[in-house]
Coordinates of all heavy atoms in Angstrom, one line a residue:
M25 N 1.8 -16.2 -10.0 CA 1.0 -15.3 -10.7 C 0.0 -14.6 -9.8 O -0.2 -13.4 -9.9 CB 0.3 -16.0 -11.9 CG -0.6 -15.2 -12.7 SD 0.3 -14.2 -13.9 CE -0.9 -13.6 -14.9
T26 N -0.6 -15.4 -8.9 CA -1.7 -14.8 -8.0 C -1.1 -13.8 -7.1 O -1.7 -12.7 -7.0 CB -2.3 -16.0 -7.2 OG1 -2.8 -17.0 -8.0 CG2 -3.4 -15.4 -6.3
E27 N 0.0 -14.1 -6.5 CA 0.7 -13.1 -5.6 C 1.1 -11.8 -6.3 O 0.9 -10.7 -5.8 CB 1.9 -13.7 -4.9 CG 2.6 -12.8 -4.0 CD 1.8 -12.5 -2.7 OE1 1.0 -13.3 -2.3 OE2 2.0 -11.3 -2.2
F28 N 1.5 -12.0 -7.6 CA 1.9 -10.8 -8.4 C 0.7 -10.0 -8.6 O 0.7 -8.7 -8.5 CB 2.6 -11.3 -9.7 CG 3.0 -10.1 -10.5 CD1 4.1 -9.4 -10.2 CD2 2.2 -9.7 -11.6 CE1 4.5 -8.3 -11.0 CE2 2.6 -8.6 -12.4 CZ 3.7 -7.9 -12.1
L29 N -0.4 -10.6 -9.0 CA -1.6 -9.8 -9.3 C -2.2 -9.1 -8.1 O -2.6 -8.0 -8.2 CB -2.7 -10.7 -9.9 CG -2.5 -11.2 -11.3 CD1 -3.5 -12.2 -11.7 CD2 -2.4 -10.0 -12.3
I30 N -2.1 -9.7 -6.9 CA -2.5 -9.1 -5.7 C -1.7 -7.9 -5.4 O -2.2 -6.8 -5.1 CB -2.4 -10.1 -4.5 CG1 -3.5 -11.2 -4.7 CG2 -2.6 -9.4 -3.2 CD1 -3.4 -12.3 -3.7
Q31 N -0.4 -8.0 -5.5 CA 0.5 -6.9 -5.3 C 0.3 -5.8 -6.4 O 0.3 -4.6 -6.1 CB 2.0 -7.3 -5.3 CG 2.4 -8.2 -4.2 CD 2.3 -7.5 -2.8 OE1 2.4 -6.3 -2.7 NE2 2.1 -8.3 -1.8
L32 N 0.1 -6.2 -7.6 CA -0.2 -5.2 -8.7 C -1.5 -4.4 -8.4 O -1.5 -3.2 -8.5 CB -0.3 -5.9 -10.0 CG -0.5 -5.1 -11.2 CD1 0.7 -4.3 -11.5 CD2 -0.8 -6.0 -12.4
L33 N -2.5 -5.1 -8.0 CA -3.8 -4.4 -7.6 C -3.6 -3.5 -6.4 O -4.1 -2.4 -6.4 CB -4.9 -5.4 -7.4 CG -5.4 -6.1 -8.6 CD1 -6.3 -7.2 -8.2 CD2 -6.1 -5.1 -9.6
R34 N -2.9 -4.0 -5.4 CA -2.7 -3.3 -4.2 C -1.9 -2.0 -4.4 O -2.2 -0.9 -3.8 CB -2.0 -4.1 -3.1 CG -1.8 -3.4 -1.8 CD -1.1 -4.3 -0.8 NE -2.1 -5.4 -0.4 CZ -1.7 -6.6 0.0 NH1 -0.4 -6.9 0.1 NH2 -2.6 -7.5 0.3
H35 N -0.9 -2.0 -5.2 CA 0.0 -0.9 -5.4 C -0.4 -0.1 -6.7 O -0.5 1.1 -6.6 CB 1.4 -1.3 -5.4 CG 1.9 -1.9 -4.1 ND1 2.1 -1.1 -3.0 CD2 2.0 -3.2 -3.7 CE1 2.5 -1.9 -2.0 NE2 2.4 -3.1 -2.4
G36 N -0.4 -0.8 -7.8 CA -0.6 -0.1 -9.1 C -2.0 0.4 -9.3 O -2.2 1.6 -9.7
F37 N -3.0 -0.4 -9.1 CA -4.4 0.0 -9.4 C -4.9 1.0 -8.5 O -5.6 2.0 -8.9 CB -5.3 -1.2 -9.4 CG -6.7 -0.8 -9.8 CD1 -7.0 -0.5 -11.1 CD2 -7.7 -0.7 -8.9 CE1 -8.3 -0.2 -11.5 CE2 -9.0 -0.4 -9.2 CZ -9.3 -0.1 -10.5
R38 N -4.5 0.9 -7.2 CA -5.0 1.9 -6.2 C -4.5 3.3 -6.6 O -5.3 4.2 -6.6 CB -4.4 1.5 -4.8 CG -4.9 2.4 -3.7 CD -4.6 1.8 -2.4 NE -5.3 2.5 -1.3 CZ -4.7 3.3 -0.5 NH1 -3.4 3.6 -0.6 NH2 -5.4 4.0 0.4
K39 N -3.2 3.4 -7.0 CA -2.7 4.7 -7.4 C -3.4 5.2 -8.6 O -3.7 6.4 -8.7 CB -1.2 4.5 -7.6 CG -0.4 5.8 -7.9 CD 1.1 5.4 -8.1 CE 1.9 6.7 -8.5 NZ 3.3 6.3 -8.7
H40 N -3.6 4.4 -9.6 CA -4.3 4.7 -10.8 C -5.7 5.2 -10.5 O -6.2 6.2 -11.0 CB -4.3 3.6 -11.8 CG -5.2 3.8 -13.0 ND1 -4.8 4.6 -14.0 CD2 -6.4 3.2 -13.3 CE1 -5.8 4.6 -14.9 NE2 -6.8 3.7 -14.5
A41 N -6.4 4.4 -9.7 CA -7.8 4.7 -9.4 C -7.9 6.0 -8.6 O -8.9 6.8 -8.9 CB -8.4 3.6 -8.5
L42 N -7.0 6.3 -7.7 CA -7.1 7.6 -7.0 C -6.8 8.8 -7.9 O -7.4 9.8 -7.8 CB -6.1 7.6 -5.8 CG -6.4 6.7 -4.7 CD1 -5.3 6.6 -3.7 CD2 -7.7 7.1 -4.0
R43 N -5.9 8.6 -8.9 CA -5.6 9.6 -9.8 C -6.8 9.9 -10.8 O -7.1 11.0 -11.1 CB -4.4 9.2 -10.6 CG -3.8 10.3 -11.5 CD -2.5 10.0 -12.2 NE -2.6 8.8 -13.0 CZ -1.9 7.7 -12.8 NH1 -1.1 7.6 -11.8 NH2 -2.1 6.6 -13.6
M44 N -7.5 8.8 -11.2 CA -8.6 8.9 -12.1 C -9.9 9.3 -11.4 O -10.9 9.7 -12.1 CB -8.8 7.6 -12.8 CG -7.7 7.2 -13.7 SD -7.7 8.1 -15.3 CE -9.2 7.5 -16.0
N45 N -10.0 9.2 -10.1 CA -11.3 9.4 -9.4 C -11.7 10.9 -9.5 O -10.9 11.8 -9.3 CB -11.1 9.1 -7.9 CG -12.4 9.1 -7.2 OD1 -13.5 9.1 -7.8 ND2 -12.3 9.2 -5.9
V46 N -12.9 11.1 -9.9 CA -13.5 12.4 -9.9 C -14.0 12.7 -8.5 O -14.8 12.0 -7.9 CB -14.7 12.5 -10.9 CG1 -15.3 13.9 -10.8 CG2 -14.2 12.2 -12.3
Q47 N -13.4 13.8 -7.9 CA -13.7 14.1 -6.5 C -15.2 14.7 -6.4 O -15.4 15.7 -7.0 CB -12.7 15.1 -5.9 CG -11.4 14.5 -5.7 CD -11.3 13.4 -4.7 OE1 -12.0 13.4 -3.8 NE2 -10.5 12.4 -5.0
G48 N -16.0 14.0 -5.8 CA -17.4 14.4 -5.6 C -17.7 14.2 -4.1 O -16.8 14.0 -3.3
T49 N -19.0 14.1 -3.8 CA -19.4 13.8 -2.4 C -19.1 12.4 -2.0 O -18.7 12.1 -0.9 CB -20.9 14.1 -2.2 OG1 -21.6 13.3 -3.2 CG2 -21.2 15.6 -2.4
V50 N -19.1 11.5 -3.0 CA -18.8 10.1 -2.8 C -17.8 9.6 -3.8 O -18.1 9.6 -5.0 CB -20.1 9.2 -2.9 CG1 -19.8 7.7 -2.6 CG2 -21.2 9.7 -1.9
P51 N -16.6 9.1 -3.3 CA -15.7 8.6 -4.3 C -16.2 7.3 -5.0 O -16.9 6.5 -4.3 CB -14.4 8.2 -3.5 CG -14.7 8.7 -2.1 CD -16.1 9.1 -2.0
S52 N -16.0 7.2 -6.3 CA -16.5 6.0 -7.0 C -15.6 5.5 -8.0 O -14.7 6.2 -8.5 CB -17.9 6.4 -7.6 OG -17.6 7.4 -8.6
L53 N -15.8 4.3 -8.4 CA -15.0 3.7 -9.5 C -15.9 3.6 -10.7 O -17.0 3.0 -10.7 CB -14.5 2.3 -9.2 CG -13.4 2.2 -8.1 CD1 -13.1 0.8 -7.7 CD2 -12.2 2.9 -8.6
R54 N -15.5 4.2 -11.8 CA -16.3 4.1 -13.0 C -15.5 3.3 -14.1 O -14.3 3.0 -14.0 CB -16.5 5.5 -13.5 CG -17.3 6.3 -12.5 CD -18.1 7.4 -13.2 NE -19.1 7.9 -12.3 CZ -19.0 9.0 -11.5 NH1 -17.9 9.7 -11.5 NH2 -20.0 9.4 -10.7
K55 N -16.2 3.0 -15.2 CA -15.7 2.1 -16.2 C -14.3 2.6 -16.7 O -13.4 1.8 -16.9 CB -16.7 2.0 -17.3 CG -16.2 1.0 -18.4 CD -17.3 0.9 -19.5 CE -16.8 0.0 -20.6 NZ -17.7 -0.1 -21.7
P56 N -14.2 3.9 -17.0 CA -12.9 4.4 -17.5 C -11.7 4.1 -16.6 O -10.5 3.9 -17.1 CB -13.0 5.9 -17.7 CG -14.5 6.1 -17.9 CD -15.1 5.0 -17.0
V57 N -11.9 4.0 -15.3 CA -10.9 3.7 -14.4 C -10.3 2.3 -14.7 O -9.1 2.1 -14.7 CB -11.4 3.7 -12.9 CG1 -10.3 3.2 -12.0 CG2 -11.8 5.1 -12.6
F58 N -11.1 1.4 -15.1 CA -10.7 0.0 -15.4 C -10.2 -0.1 -16.8 O -9.2 -0.7 -17.1 CB -11.9 -1.0 -15.2 CG -12.3 -1.1 -13.8 CD1 -13.4 -0.4 -13.3 CD2 -11.6 -1.8 -12.8 CE1 -13.8 -0.5 -12.0 CE2 -11.9 -1.9 -11.5 CZ -13.1 -1.2 -11.1
T59 N -10.9 0.5 -17.8 CA -10.5 0.4 -19.2 C -9.3 1.1 -19.6 O -8.6 0.8 -20.5 CB -11.7 0.8 -20.1 OG1 -12.0 2.2 -19.8 CG2 -12.9 -0.1 -19.9
E60 N -8.9 2.2 -18.8 CA -7.8 3.0 -19.2 C -6.5 2.6 -18.4 O -5.5 3.2 -18.5 CB -8.1 4.5 -19.0 CG -9.1 5.0 -20.0 CD -9.5 6.4 -19.7 OE1 -8.8 7.1 -19.0 OE2 -10.5 6.9 -20.3
W61 N -6.6 1.6 -17.6 CA -5.5 1.1 -16.8 C -4.7 0.2 -17.6 O -5.1 -0.9 -18.0 CB -6.0 0.4 -15.5 CG -4.9 0.0 -14.6 CD1 -3.8 0.7 -14.2 CD2 -4.8 -1.2 -13.8 NE1 -3.1 0.1 -13.3 CE2 -3.6 -1.1 -13.1 CE3 -5.6 -2.3 -13.7 CZ2 -3.2 -2.1 -12.2 CZ3 -5.2 -3.3 -12.9 CH2 -4.0 -3.2 -12.1
Q62 N -3.5 0.7 -18.0 CA -2.6 -0.1 -18.8 C -1.6 -0.9 -17.9 O -1.0 -0.3 -17.0 CB -1.8 0.8 -19.7 CG -2.7 1.4 -20.7 CD -1.9 2.3 -21.7 OE1 -0.7 2.4 -21.6 NE2 -2.5 2.9 -22.6
V63 N -1.5 -2.2 -18.1 CA -0.7 -3.0 -17.2 C 0.3 -3.8 -18.0 O 0.0 -4.4 -19.1 CB -1.6 -4.1 -16.5 CG1 -0.8 -4.9 -15.6 CG2 -2.7 -3.4 -15.7
L64 N 1.5 -3.7 -17.6 CA 2.6 -4.4 -18.2 C 2.9 -5.6 -17.3 O 3.3 -5.4 -16.1 CB 3.9 -3.6 -18.3 CG 3.7 -2.4 -19.2 CD1 5.0 -1.5 -19.2 CD2 3.4 -2.8 -20.7
I65 N 2.7 -6.8 -17.7 CA 2.8 -8.0 -16.9 C 4.1 -8.7 -17.4 O 4.2 -9.2 -18.5 CB 1.6 -8.9 -17.0 CG1 0.4 -8.2 -16.5 CG2 1.8 -10.2 -16.2 CD1 -0.9 -9.0 -16.6
P66 N 5.1 -8.8 -16.5 CA 6.3 -9.5 -16.9 C 6.1 -11.0 -16.9 O 5.1 -11.5 -16.4 CB 7.3 -9.1 -15.7 CG 6.4 -8.8 -14.6 CD 5.1 -8.2 -15.2
N67 N 7.1 -11.7 -17.4 CA 7.0 -13.2 -17.4 C 7.0 -13.8 -16.0 O 7.4 -13.1 -15.1 CB 8.0 -13.8 -18.3 CG 9.4 -13.6 -17.8 OD1 9.7 -13.6 -16.6 ND2 10.4 -13.3 -18.7
T68 N 6.6 -15.0 -15.9 CA 6.5 -15.7 -14.6 C 7.8 -15.7 -13.8 O 7.8 -15.5 -12.6 CB 6.0 -17.1 -14.8 OG1 4.8 -17.1 -15.6 CG2 5.6 -17.7 -13.4
K69 N 8.9 -15.8 -14.5 CA 10.2 -15.9 -13.8 C 10.5 -14.5 -13.1 O 11.1 -14.5 -12.1 CB 11.3 -16.1 -14.9 CG 12.6 -16.3 -14.3 CD 13.6 -16.7 -15.4 CE 15.0 -16.8 -14.8 NZ 16.0 -17.2 -15.9
E70 N 10.0 -13.4 -13.7 CA 10.2 -12.1 -13.1 C 9.2 -11.8 -12.1 O 9.5 -10.9 -11.2 CB 10.2 -11.0 -14.2 CG 11.4 -11.1 -15.2 CD 11.3 -10.2 -16.3 OE1 10.1 -9.8 -16.7 OE2 12.3 -9.8 -16.9
Q71 N 8.0 -12.3 -12.2 CA 6.9 -12.0 -11.3 C 7.2 -12.4 -9.8 O 6.9 -11.7 -8.9 CB 5.6 -12.7 -11.7 CG 5.0 -12.1 -12.9 CD 3.8 -12.9 -13.4 OE1 3.2 -13.6 -12.6 NE2 3.4 -12.7 -14.6
K72 N 7.8 -13.6 -9.6 CA 8.1 -14.0 -8.3 C 9.0 -13.1 -7.5 O 8.7 -12.7 -6.4 CB 8.7 -15.4 -8.3 CG 7.6 -16.5 -8.7 CD 8.2 -17.9 -8.6 CE 7.1 -18.9 -9.0 NZ 7.5 -20.2 -8.8
P73 N 10.1 -12.7 -8.0 CA 11.0 -11.7 -7.3 C 10.3 -10.4 -7.0 O 10.5 -9.8 -5.9 CB 12.2 -11.6 -8.1 CG 12.2 -12.6 -9.1 CD 10.8 -13.1 -9.2
I74 N 9.5 -9.9 -8.0 CA 8.9 -8.6 -7.8 C 7.8 -8.7 -6.7 O 7.8 -7.9 -5.8 CB 8.2 -8.2 -9.1 CG1 9.3 -7.9 -10.2 CG2 7.3 -7.0 -8.9 CD1 8.7 -7.6 -11.6
S75 N 7.0 -9.8 -6.7 CA 6.0 -9.9 -5.7 C 6.6 -10.2 -4.3 O 6.1 -9.7 -3.3 CB 5.0 -11.1 -6.0 OG 5.6 -12.3 -6.1
Y76 N 7.7 -10.9 -4.3 CA 8.4 -11.1 -3.0 C 9.0 -9.8 -2.5 O 8.8 -9.5 -1.3 CB 9.6 -12.1 -3.2 CG 10.5 -12.3 -2.0 CD1 10.0 -13.1 -0.9 CD2 11.7 -11.7 -1.9 CE1 10.8 -13.3 0.2 CE2 12.5 -11.8 -0.7 CZ 12.0 -12.6 0.3 OH 12.7 -12.8 1.4
L77 N 9.5 -9.0 -3.3 CA 10.0 -7.7 -2.9 C 8.9 -6.8 -2.3 O 9.0 -6.2 -1.3 CB 10.7 -7.0 -4.1 CG 11.2 -5.5 -3.8 CD1 12.3 -5.5 -2.8 CD2 11.6 -4.8 -5.1
L78 N 7.8 -6.7 -3.0 CA 6.7 -5.9 -2.6 C 6.1 -6.4 -1.3 O 5.7 -5.7 -0.4 CB 5.6 -5.8 -3.7 CG 6.0 -5.1 -4.9 CD1 4.9 -5.2 -6.0 CD2 6.3 -3.6 -4.6
R79 N 6.0 -7.8 -1.1 CA 5.5 -8.3 0.1 C 6.5 -8.0 1.3 O 6.0 -7.6 2.4 CB 5.4 -9.9 0.0 CG 4.7 -10.5 1.1 CD 4.4 -12.0 0.8 NE 5.5 -12.8 0.4 CZ 5.6 -13.3 -0.8 NH1 4.7 -13.2 -1.7 NH2 6.7 -14.0 -1.2
C80 N 7.8 -8.1 1.0 CA 8.8 -7.7 2.1 C 8.6 -6.2 2.4 O 8.7 -5.9 3.6 CB 10.2 -8.0 1.6 SG 10.6 -9.8 1.5
L81 N 8.4 -5.4 1.4 CA 8.3 -3.9 1.7 C 7.0 -3.7 2.5 O 7.0 -2.9 3.5 CB 8.2 -3.2 0.4 CG 9.5 -3.0 -0.3 CD1 9.3 -2.4 -1.7 CD2 10.5 -2.2 0.5
D82 N 5.9 -4.4 2.2 CA 4.7 -4.2 3.0 C 4.9 -4.6 4.4 O 4.4 -3.9 5.4 CB 3.6 -5.1 2.4 CG 2.9 -4.5 1.1 OD1 3.2 -3.2 0.9 OD2 2.2 -5.2 0.4
K83 N 5.6 -5.7 4.7 CA 5.9 -6.2 6.0 C 6.7 -5.2 6.8 O 6.5 -4.9 7.9 CB 6.5 -7.6 6.0 CG 5.6 -8.7 5.6 CD 6.3 -10.0 5.6 CE 5.3 -11.1 5.2 NZ 6.0 -12.4 5.2
T84 N 7.8 -4.7 6.1 CA 8.7 -3.7 6.7 C 7.9 -2.4 7.1 O 8.1 -1.9 8.2 CB 9.8 -3.4 5.8 OG1 10.5 -4.6 5.4 CG2 10.8 -2.4 6.4
I85 N 7.1 -2.0 6.2 CA 6.3 -0.8 6.5 C 5.4 -1.0 7.7 O 5.2 -0.1 8.6 CB 5.5 -0.3 5.2 CG1 6.5 0.2 4.2 CG2 4.5 0.7 5.6 CD1 5.8 0.4 2.8
A86 N 4.7 -2.2 7.7 CA 3.8 -2.5 8.8 C 4.6 -2.5 10.2 O 4.1 -2.0 11.2 CB 3.1 -3.8 8.6
L87 N 5.8 -3.1 10.1 CA 6.6 -3.2 11.4 C 7.0 -1.8 11.8 O 7.0 -1.5 13.0 CB 7.9 -4.0 11.1 CG 7.7 -5.5 11.0 CD1 9.0 -6.2 10.6 CD2 7.2 -6.1 12.3
H88 N 7.4 -0.9 10.9 CA 7.8 0.4 11.3 C 6.6 1.2 11.8 O 6.7 2.1 12.7 CB 8.5 1.1 10.1 CG 9.9 0.7 9.9 ND1 10.9 1.0 10.7 CD2 10.4 -0.1 8.9 CE1 12.1 0.5 10.3 NE2 11.8 -0.2 9.2
Q89 N 5.5 1.0 11.2 CA 4.2 1.7 11.6 C 3.9 1.3 13.1 O 3.6 2.1 13.9 CB 3.1 1.4 10.7 CG 1.8 2.1 11.1 CD 2.0 3.6 10.9 OE1 2.5 4.1 9.9 NE2 1.6 4.4 11.9
R90 N 4.0 0.0 13.4 CA 3.8 -0.5 14.8 C 4.8 0.1 15.7 O 4.4 0.5 16.8 CB 3.8 -2.0 14.8 CG 2.5 -2.6 14.4 CD 2.5 -4.1 14.7 NE 2.4 -4.7 13.4 CZ 3.0 -5.8 12.9 NH1 3.8 -6.4 13.7 NH2 2.7 -6.3 11.7
K91 N 6.1 0.2 15.3 CA 7.1 0.8 16.1 C 6.8 2.2 16.4 O 6.9 2.7 17.5 CB 8.5 0.6 15.5 CG 9.6 1.1 16.3 CD 11.0 0.9 15.6 CE 12.1 1.4 16.5 NZ 13.4 1.2 15.8
L92 N 6.4 3.0 15.4 CA 6.0 4.4 15.5 C 4.9 4.5 16.5 O 4.9 5.4 17.3 CB 5.7 5.0 14.1 CG 5.2 6.4 14.1 CD1 6.3 7.3 14.6 CD2 4.7 6.8 12.7
D93 N 3.9 3.7 16.4 CA 2.7 3.8 17.3 C 3.1 3.5 18.7 O 2.7 4.2 19.6 CB 1.6 2.7 16.9 CG 1.0 3.1 15.5 OD1 1.1 4.2 15.1 OD2 0.4 2.2 14.9
L94 N 4.0 2.5 18.9 CA 4.5 2.3 20.3 C 5.3 3.4 20.8 O 5.2 3.8 22.0 CB 5.4 1.0 20.3 CG 4.6 -0.3 20.1 CD1 5.6 -1.5 19.9 CD2 3.7 -0.6 21.3
L95 N 6.1 4.1 20.0 CA 6.9 5.2 20.4 C 6.0 6.4 20.7 O 6.3 7.1 21.7 CB 8.0 5.6 19.3 CG 9.1 4.6 19.2 CD1 10.0 5.0 17.9 CD2 10.0 4.6 20.4
K96 N 5.0 6.6 20.0 CA 4.0 7.7 20.3 C 3.4 7.4 21.7 O 3.2 8.4 22.4 CB 3.0 7.8 19.2 CG 3.5 8.4 17.9 CD 2.4 8.5 16.9 CE 2.9 9.2 15.6 NZ 1.8 9.3 14.6
E97 N 3.0 6.2 21.9 CA 2.4 5.8 23.2 C 3.4 6.1 24.3 O 3.1 6.6 25.4 CB 1.9 4.4 23.2 CG 0.7 4.2 22.4 CD -0.5 5.0 23.0 OE1 -0.7 5.0 24.2 OE2 -1.2 5.6 22.1
Q98 N 4.7 5.7 24.1 CA 5.7 5.9 25.1 C 5.9 7.4 25.4 O 6.0 7.8 26.5 CB 7.0 5.2 24.6 CG 8.1 5.2 25.6 CD 9.4 4.5 25.1 OE1 9.6 4.5 23.9 NE2 10.2 4.0 26.0
K99 N 5.9 8.2 24.3 CA 6.1 9.6 24.5 C 4.9 10.2 25.3 O 5.1 11.0 26.2 CB 6.1 10.3 23.1 CG 6.2 11.8 23.1 CD 6.1 12.4 21.7 CE 6.0 13.9 21.8 NZ 5.8 14.5 20.4
K100 N 3.7 9.7 25.0 CA 2.6 10.2 25.7 C 2.7 9.9 27.2 O 2.4 10.7 28.1 CB 1.3 9.6 25.2 CG 0.0 10.2 25.6 CD -1.2 9.4 25.2 CE -1.3 9.3 23.7 NZ -2.6 8.6 23.2
G101 N 3.2 8.7 27.5 CA 3.4 8.3 28.9 C 4.4 9.1 29.6 O 4.2 9.5 30.7
F102 N 5.5 9.4 28.9 CA 6.6 10.2 29.5 C 6.1 11.7 29.7 O 6.4 12.3 30.7 CB 7.8 10.3 28.6 CG 8.6 9.0 28.6 CD1 9.3 8.6 27.4 CD2 8.7 8.2 29.7 CE1 10.0 7.4 27.4 CE2 9.4 7.0 29.7 CZ 10.1 6.6 28.5
L103 N 5.3 12.2 28.8 CA 4.8 13.5 29.0 C 3.8 13.6 30.2 O 3.8 14.6 30.9 CB 4.1 14.0 27.7 CG 5.0 14.4 26.5 CD1 4.2 14.7 25.3 CD2 5.9 15.6 26.9
Q104 N 3.0 12.5 30.3 CA 2.1 12.5 31.5 C 2.9 12.5 32.8 O 2.5 13.1 33.8 CB 1.2 11.3 31.4 CG 0.1 11.5 30.4 CD -0.8 10.2 30.3 OE1 -0.5 9.2 30.8 NE2 -1.9 10.4 29.5
K105 N 4.0 11.7 32.8 CA 4.8 11.7 34.1 C 5.5 13.0 34.3 O 5.6 13.4 35.5 CB 5.9 10.6 33.9 CG 5.4 9.2 34.0 CD 6.5 8.2 33.9 CE 5.9 6.8 34.0 NZ 7.0 5.8 33.9
M106 N 5.9 13.7 33.3 CA 6.5 15.0 33.4 C 5.6 16.1 34.0 O 6.0 16.9 34.8 CB 7.1 15.5 32.1 CG 8.4 14.9 31.7 SD 9.0 15.5 30.1 CE 8.9 17.2 30.1
F107 N 4.3 16.1 33.5 CA 3.4 17.2 33.8 C 2.3 16.7 34.7 O 1.1 17.1 34.5 CB 2.9 17.8 32.5 CG 3.9 18.3 31.7 CD1 4.2 17.8 30.4 CD2 4.6 19.5 32.0 CE1 5.2 18.3 29.6 CE2 5.6 20.0 31.2 CZ 5.9 19.4 30.0
C108 N 2.6 15.9 35.7 CA 1.5 15.4 36.6 C 0.9 16.6 37.5 O 1.5 17.3 38.1 CB 2.1 14.4 37.6 SG 2.2 12.7 36.8

């Protein structure tokens, strides 16, 4: 249950909060952001596979992001060698 709630907050609430946020000089969370967030919570048997899937996706995205960063650094190095 805990892992499911963490994933739910990380993915679902963030998207909801950004959609509900009134753009001003300082972004803020107001009461309607919390009270108007409708959450469908599946039973415990379904929560584990869902949280596992989201955790795997997070790890995969992080790995790809690191790979992209390394490739950008490699590209920068190659460009420096080409235009010395």
Side-chain angles (χ1 to χ4, degrees):
M25 178 81 168
T26 305
E27 180 66 31
F28 180 80
L29 288 175
I30 290 169
Q31 294 296 334
L32 183 66
L33 289 171
R34 182 178 292 153
H35 296 283
F37 182 74
R38 184 169 191 255
K39 185 177 176 182
H40 170 74
L42 290 173
R43 189 175 57 244
M44 294 282 296
N45 187 19
V46 177
Q47 293 297 323
T49 54
V50 178
S52 61
L53 291 174
R54 298 205 164 97
K55 185 179 177 183
V57 173
F58 296 99
T59 58
E60 294 176 13
W61 186 39
Q62 295 181 359
V63 180
L64 298 174
I65 299 178
N67 63 40
T68 307
K69 186 178 178 181
E70 294 174 332
Q71 289 177 16
K72 288 183 180 185
I74 292 169
S75 61
Y76 176 76
L77 174 68
L78 291 174
R79 188 171 52 246
C80 289
L81 287 173
D82 283 344
K83 288 179 182 180
T84 303
I85 290 169
L87 288 172
H88 284 289
Q89 184 62 49
R90 277 188 242 139
K91 183 177 179 181
L92 177 64
D93 293 342
L94 289 172
L95 288 171
K96 285 181 179 180
E97 287 298 315
Q98 188 178 26
K99 176 185 173 185
K100 192 186 303 182
F102 288 149
L103 287 172
Q104 285 178 352
K105 286 182 181 179
M106 279 178 48
F107 300 111
C108 279

